[in-house]
Amino acid sequence: MAALRATLHVATLAAGARRALLGREGSLAGNCLAHRRLWDKLHSGPRVGSVPTFDWFFGYEEAQGFLLPLLQEARAAYPLRVLDVGCGTSSLCTGLYTKCPIPVDVLGVDFSPVAVAHMNSLLEGGQDQIPLYPGHPASRLQFIQADAQNLEPVAPSGSFQLVLDKGTWDAVARGGLPGAYQLLSECLRVLSPRGTLIQFTDEDPDVRLPCLEQGSQGWTVTVQELGPFRGIPYFAYLVQVSH
């Protein structure tokens, strides 16, 4: 079952968005999920209904019950610096910015310039949308085009208390595990000494845990089940400094 699920991540896409993506690309087989061309096409396509964001797996509404307690515990620095790697056009960054009662400084990075332009437009009130306003006066939000496997230009070492990866490992791994391990290495590099990396995925622990434990030696890896959302169980993998 785990092996089957590992090859069918696309089944967790919302049905309308999935049909649109399949219609433009024809097939998601193989390693094309690691290619920027596919994501540029996806983010350039028509939106499903009037929803301005597109969420793989699930969005902020489903994740907030898990994220808010973690943010409340990490009160060493305000605003808390949060990095979302491979943010795409997800509601995760915008939800944290507009709905989190704790001050957060959120940076969303993605290698698709189309996705970044779309999210910056939403932030500024383009596309007939109301401009986004922070849930806390001290909160900030920014979107930058960057490769999650090379965050050096945008993220100094030890600069974020929380790093979020929602499906990015899943996509990068389609191009081979070396790329996924490089992504993991960069996520750990930018974490503050007491920071946390969270990977959200539908991949079972017997598949993901050995990979994370191999790529983050000296760190503690734990897993928590989320959902099910729309009938699908998900997992949050937390990587933290071993004490």
Side-chain angles (χ1 to χ4, degrees), residues 35-235:
H35 295 168
R36 194 182 84 181
R37 179 173 60 90
L38 180 143
W39 296 106
D40 284 345
K41 284 190 175 184
L42 169 64
H43 299 310
S44 298
R47 303 281 151 187
V48 178
S50 60
V51 179
T53 55
F54 169 84
D55 278 297
W56 203 13
F57 298 153
F58 51 82
Y60 176 75
E61 292 298 327
E62 291 84 2
Q64 63 179 331
F66 177 78
L67 287 175
L68 289 180
L70 289 176
L71 293 170
Q72 290 168 344
E73 291 174 6
R75 296 192 173 216
Y78 275 144
L80 296 170
R81 298 208 68 202
V82 180
L83 174 66
D84 184 3
V85 294
C87 64
T89 58
S90 167
S91 64
L92 206 53
C93 287
T94 55
L96 279 170
Y97 174 67
T98 60
K99 298 179 180 179
C100 181
I102 301 166
V104 288
D105 182 359
V106 182
L107 173 61
V109 300
D110 199 278
F111 67 174
S112 169
V114 179
V116 171
H118 176 79
M119 297 309 289
N120 277 321
S121 177
L122 285 183
L123 179 61
E124 297 164 4
Q127 306 175 50
D128 299 321
Q129 299 288 325
I130 299 174
L132 302 182
Y133 294 100
H136 188 284
S139 290
R140 296 188 292 266
L141 174 60
Q142 185 179 17
F143 294 98
I144 298 177
Q145 182 187 358
D147 186 347
Q149 297 178 60
N150 179 23
L151 295 168
E152 195 76 45
V154 298
S157 297
S159 54
F160 290 90
Q161 284 78 45
L162 181 63
V163 176
L164 303 176
D165 171 341
K166 184 163 71 75
T168 303
W169 167 289
D170 304 73
V172 172
R174 290 297 186 94
L177 280 177
Y181 282 126
Q182 177 60 28
L183 166 68
L184 175 61
S185 176
E186 277 294 272
C187 289
L188 297 180
R189 179 186 64 80
V190 303
L191 271 183
S192 64
R194 298 180 63 85
T196 301
L197 163 65
I198 304 175
Q199 289 188 351
F200 293 114
T201 180
D202 66 346
E203 189 165 67
D204 285 344
D206 58 349
V207 176
R208 182 62 60 90
L209 275 178
C211 293
L212 291 180
E213 289 169 348
Q214 178 178 335
S216 56
Q217 295 182 18
W219 299 72
T220 298
V221 183
T222 57
V223 59
Q224 181 172 329
E225 187 166 352
L226 304 178
F229 304 130
R230 295 179 296 279
I232 300 172
Y234 295 95
F235 301 93

